[in-house]
């Protein structure tokens, strides 16, 4: 047998090929959560282009607080987010009956390893122009893992992809994905009714 045959070389070369390494996954930004941060959530007004990454559970919590930010000053939003991130509150959900936020323990213990709250100093950023989408639309976009830069084409494609991914039929009949699916459909409906889907 001729081991130097071309056939043998071909086999050997082929066996060298390797599977590509899986890309590192982003972890949910919620403190202590190790889930995959699959959803981008805009940090808020005046932080355009900056995002948290959350798992579904925590993007929901974040979304529930999002309305609350509307009309708050940027500093108030940052303060609220700080308090939420360092875990003075049991959850991110702001109780409607809560009185004025009492200042938590001193803010000096707050550490910001991810630099998420660092403010840009120096050049004053221009006043943001009129946001393209309203808060409701932005929330719906967040459910789809998108932001306000998404075009209707992107929204539609993303929606189809998510429905496929979370459909019970695609998960061996696992119905635990149904809530998520419902939420996705709801979000898309909302966007469509705003002429964005
Ligand atoms: Zn999480």
């Amino acid at each position: 047998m001729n081991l130097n045959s071309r056939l043998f070389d071909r086999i050997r070369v082929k066996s060298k090929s390797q599977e590509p390494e899986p890309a590192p996954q982003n972890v949910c930004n919620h403190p202590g959560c190790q889930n995959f941060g699959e959803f981008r959530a805009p940090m808020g007004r005046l932080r355009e282009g900056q995002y948290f990454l959350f798992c579904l559970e925590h993007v929901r919590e974040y979304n529930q607080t999002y309305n609350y930010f509307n009309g708050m000053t940027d500093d108030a939003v940052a303060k609220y987010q700080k308090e939420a991130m360092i875990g003075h509150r049991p959850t991110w959900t702001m109780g409607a009956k809560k009185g004025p936020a009492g200042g938590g323990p001193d803010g000096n213990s707050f550490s910001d390893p991810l630099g998420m709250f660092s403010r840009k100093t120096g050049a004053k950023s221009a006043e943001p122009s009129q946001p393209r989408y309203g808060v409701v639309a932005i929330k719906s976009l967040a459910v789809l893992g998108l932001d306000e830069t998404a075009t209707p084409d992107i929204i539609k494609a993303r929606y189809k992809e998510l429905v496929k991914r979370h459909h019970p039929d695609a998960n061996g009949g696992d119905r635990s994905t149904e809530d998520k699916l419902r939420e996705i459909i709801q979000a898309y409906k909302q966007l469509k009714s705003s002429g964005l889907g």
Side-chain angles (χ1 to χ4, degrees):
M1 181 177 178
N2 178 9
L3 292 181
N4 292 320
S5 78
R6 292 168 77 159
L7 176 65
F8 193 77
D9 280 349
R10 264 214 307 277
I11 293 169
R12 207 161 36 196
V13 166
K14 198 174 178 187
S15 70
K16 265 188 208 163
S17 72
Q18 285 177 348
E19 292 294 312
E21 298 264 315
Q25 297 195 328
N26 294 309
V27 173
C28 174
N29 287 154
H30 194 83
C33 180
Q34 293 301 311
N35 291 330
F36 177 42
E38 149 175 40
F39 295 93
R40 290 209 302 175
M43 285 191 178
R45 303 185 315 140
L46 307 184
R47 284 187 164 69
E48 287 174 11
Q50 292 180 270
Y51 298 91
F52 294 114
L53 283 174
F54 290 121
C55 65
L56 176 66
E57 180 190 346
H58 290 128
V59 81
R60 274 180 175 162
E61 285 188 17
Y62 184 83
N63 284 343
Q64 280 167 12
T65 65
Y66 203 86
N67 274 335
Y68 182 81
F69 297 151
N70 204 19
M72 286 170 75
T73 67
D74 193 40
D75 281 347
V77 171
K79 181 170 183 291
Y80 174 76
Q81 288 176 329
K82 267 188 191 181
E83 287 175 356
M85 289 300 282
I86 53 181
H88 288 308
R89 297 171 196 282
T91 76
W92 283 56
T93 307
M94 180 63 96
K97 283 163 285 181
K98 282 257 169 69
D106 75 278
N108 295 333
S109 59
F110 175 68
S111 70
D112 185 15
L114 301 178
M116 287 195 293
F117 299 113
S118 58
R119 295 184 65 104
K120 280 192 201 120
T121 50
K124 266 191 182 169
S125 57
E127 274 302 299
S129 51
Q130 189 69 14
R132 200 142 50 113
Y133 301 152
V135 171
V136 175
I138 287 175
K139 280 169 69 173
S140 297
L141 286 167
V143 169
L144 301 182
L146 297 170
D147 59 44
E148 66 274 14
T149 63
T151 65
D153 280 350
I154 291 174
I155 292 169
K156 195 169 188 177
R158 177 75 177 166
Y159 170 69
K160 284 184 176 170
E161 179 201 328
L162 287 174
V163 166
K164 225 184 211 172
R165 199 201 300 173
H166 296 291
H167 198 282
D169 289 351
N171 294 281
D174 176 8
R175 306 190 85 79
S176 69
T177 59
E178 269 184 17
D179 278 352
K180 187 163 185 172
L181 184 61
R182 225 187 316 264
E183 189 179 27
I184 288 162
I185 291 170
Q186 189 65 33
Y188 182 67
K189 267 189 190 164
Q190 193 281 319
L191 290 168
K192 217 171 174 185
S193 71
S194 316
L196 301 173

